[in-house]
Amino acid sequence: MLIIRKSNDLSKYLGNSSSASTTIGFVPTMGALHQGHMSLIKQAKKQDTIVVCSIFVNPTQFNDPKDFEHYPKTIEQDIYMLEKEGCDVLFLPEVKDIYPDGTEKLRHYPLDYLETVLEGKFRPNHFQGVCQVMNRLMDVVNPTHLYLGQKDYQQCMVITKLLDIIHSKARIIVVSTMRENDGLAMSSRNRRLSEPEREKAPGIYKVLSYINQHIQPGPTYPLIEKAREILIQNDLVPDYIEIANADTLELITDWDGKTKLVALIAAFLGKVRLIDNLILPLNFAHYAN
Ligand code: AMP
């Protein structure tokens, strides 16, 4: 696997290695890789001739400086995992390469409704940061396919909108969420959980499954309240528990029994903030591959 640290070098390399039949699959990450990330790499390996993974902990998408500071870094193990999976290129840039003019005066993206709810509401400017880094990465890599995890459901929608804004022709492939055996969605942040916290963490998936089992046409409020109770009983402190239209993320307070839904949860376990989601009812799983 080639490790490239400068964006100019990566663009040049990809330009030189491309022919008419080349397709580039791109998997952007923040490192501390796990099997969830690897499922994106595997999918890209199946579909594309060159697979590029980036590892860059993007400072502009962290609204909490402590979260940025404590973000796990396991670069040697990451390189080992990527090599084992047959990734062709690892892009490992520094902040000044991604943001040569600094991070103060970056472009603002018209995300409208999408950044007013859920993660957008609880993490101000987070999605602006996601767009800033993704715009830059898309310029450098210019991929055929962009692989994203359903785990970050709202992010998939934001990046879909970004590609439209920047007139990118790349196709987004959404890969379903990889879970541990007890249902916990794999996440780099899981590494920060203490042992007792790790035991409680699957509570988020249990509550999502509970919502899936009990969703009925009519008001969603009683189910959301019950879900909140269960989370709190399990020492999880929710930022939000919402049921939304799976295509638009419009929050659903009264379900017509037909609209495809997604249930989304963000909750703290001690100092660690975890997110997860589930398409409802499960047989509507249209967004996952
Ligand atoms: P991150 O390193 O957290 O920025 O994630 C990089 C990519 O991996 C994003 O597209 C995530 O949605 C995706 N991802 C993270 N966790 C999982 C998971 N458990 N299953 C599938 N994809 C994931």
Side-chain angles (χ1 to χ4, degrees):
M1 180 176 69
L2 260 180
I3 300 181
I4 299 182
R5 293 171 194 275
K6 300 264 184 257
S7 46
N8 284 344
D9 293 344
L10 179 59
S11 296
K12 244 184 260 161
Y13 172 79
L14 292 173
N16 291 340
S17 347
S18 290
S19 68
S21 59
T22 309
T23 64
I24 298 173
F26 180 38
V27 180
T29 81
M30 298 207 296
L33 301 181
H34 49 69
Q35 287 309 315
H37 296 113
M38 289 307 118
S39 66
L40 275 62
I41 300 280
K42 282 192 180 104
Q43 193 100 339
K45 280 296 288 180
K46 271 193 220 147
Q47 216 158 332
D48 291 296
T49 40
I50 303 181
V51 176
V52 179
C53 175
S54 64
I55 295 182
F56 179 65
V57 185
N58 173 34
T60 72
Q61 72 186 68
F62 285 83
N63 53 316
D64 175 358
K66 285 237 156 58
D67 189 25
F68 179 57
E69 215 176 286
H70 295 299
Y71 200 83
K73 289 175 191 76
T74 58
I75 190 64
E76 274 168 29
Q77 197 195 327
D78 293 353
I79 292 171
Y80 174 78
M81 288 170 80
L82 289 170
E83 284 200 315
K84 208 166 132 213
E85 218 50 77
C87 178
D88 299 296
V89 181
L90 168 60
F91 181 41
L92 204 53
E94 292 197 3
V95 174
K96 61 178 185 296
D97 184 286
I98 295 296
Y99 301 118
D101 301 322
T103 53
E104 290 305 308
K105 289 187 193 130
L106 293 167
R107 181 173 170 185
H108 185 273
Y109 298 84
L111 299 175
D112 307 325
Y113 172 75
L114 268 185
E115 66 175 340
T116 64
V117 287
L118 306 161
E119 292 300 282
K121 179 171 166 190
F122 283 87
R123 301 187 66 190
N125 277 322
H126 167 65
F127 286 129
Q128 289 299 321
V130 168
C131 287
Q132 285 151 0
V133 72
M134 282 308 299
N135 193 349
R136 177 81 171 106
L137 290 171
M138 293 301 287
D139 282 347
V140 175
V141 181
N142 192 17
T144 320
H145 298 123
L146 174 62
Y147 294 85
L148 303 173
Q150 188 202 319
K151 156 93 177 11
D152 297 280
Y153 195 91
Q154 191 173 7
Q155 174 169 278
C156 292
M157 296 181 80
V158 164
I159 295 175
T160 301
K161 182 153 184 162
L162 169 73
L163 296 200
D164 194 38
I165 294 170
I166 64 175
H167 308 296
S168 166
K169 289 200 181 74
R171 213 183 105 212
I172 289 182
I173 315 254
V174 178
V175 179
S176 45
T177 304
M178 284 282 286
R179 300 182 179 281
E180 304 288 356
N181 289 338
D182 56 13
L184 174 66
M186 291 182 184
S187 164
S188 306
R189 287 186 172 87
N190 294 350
R191 293 171 194 264
R192 293 187 51 213
L193 298 170
S194 67
E195 227 171 89
E197 284 168 348
R198 174 62 189 83
E199 274 174 31
K200 289 171 183 164
I204 297 183
Y205 181 66
K206 280 186 199 132
V207 169
L208 288 170
S209 306
Y210 181 91
I211 294 174
N212 178 57
Q213 275 161 18
H214 293 86
I215 185 85
Q216 279 181 358
T220 54
Y221 179 76
L223 184 54
I224 290 177
E225 275 317 293
K226 182 71 193 160
R228 186 183 309 281
E229 250 173 57
I230 305 174
L231 273 185
I232 292 169
Q233 275 162 13
N234 283 276
D235 293 335
L236 286 147
V237 181
D239 257 355
Y240 59 78
I241 306 164
E242 296 286 6
I243 296 173
N245 180 317
D247 295 320
T248 64
L249 274 196
E250 181 197 348
L251 303 184
I252 301 286
T253 51
D254 203 339
W255 187 40
D256 59 9
K258 285 182 259 169
T259 305
K260 282 174 239 162
L261 302 176
V262 57
L264 308 107
I265 293 180
F268 278 93
L269 198 47
K271 292 196 169 97
V272 185
R273 187 174 182 276
L274 301 173
I275 62 169
D276 199 356
N277 66 80
L278 201 62
I279 305 272
L280 313 179
L282 264 184
N283 58 5
F284 268 138
H286 72 298
Y287 207 68
N289 285 351

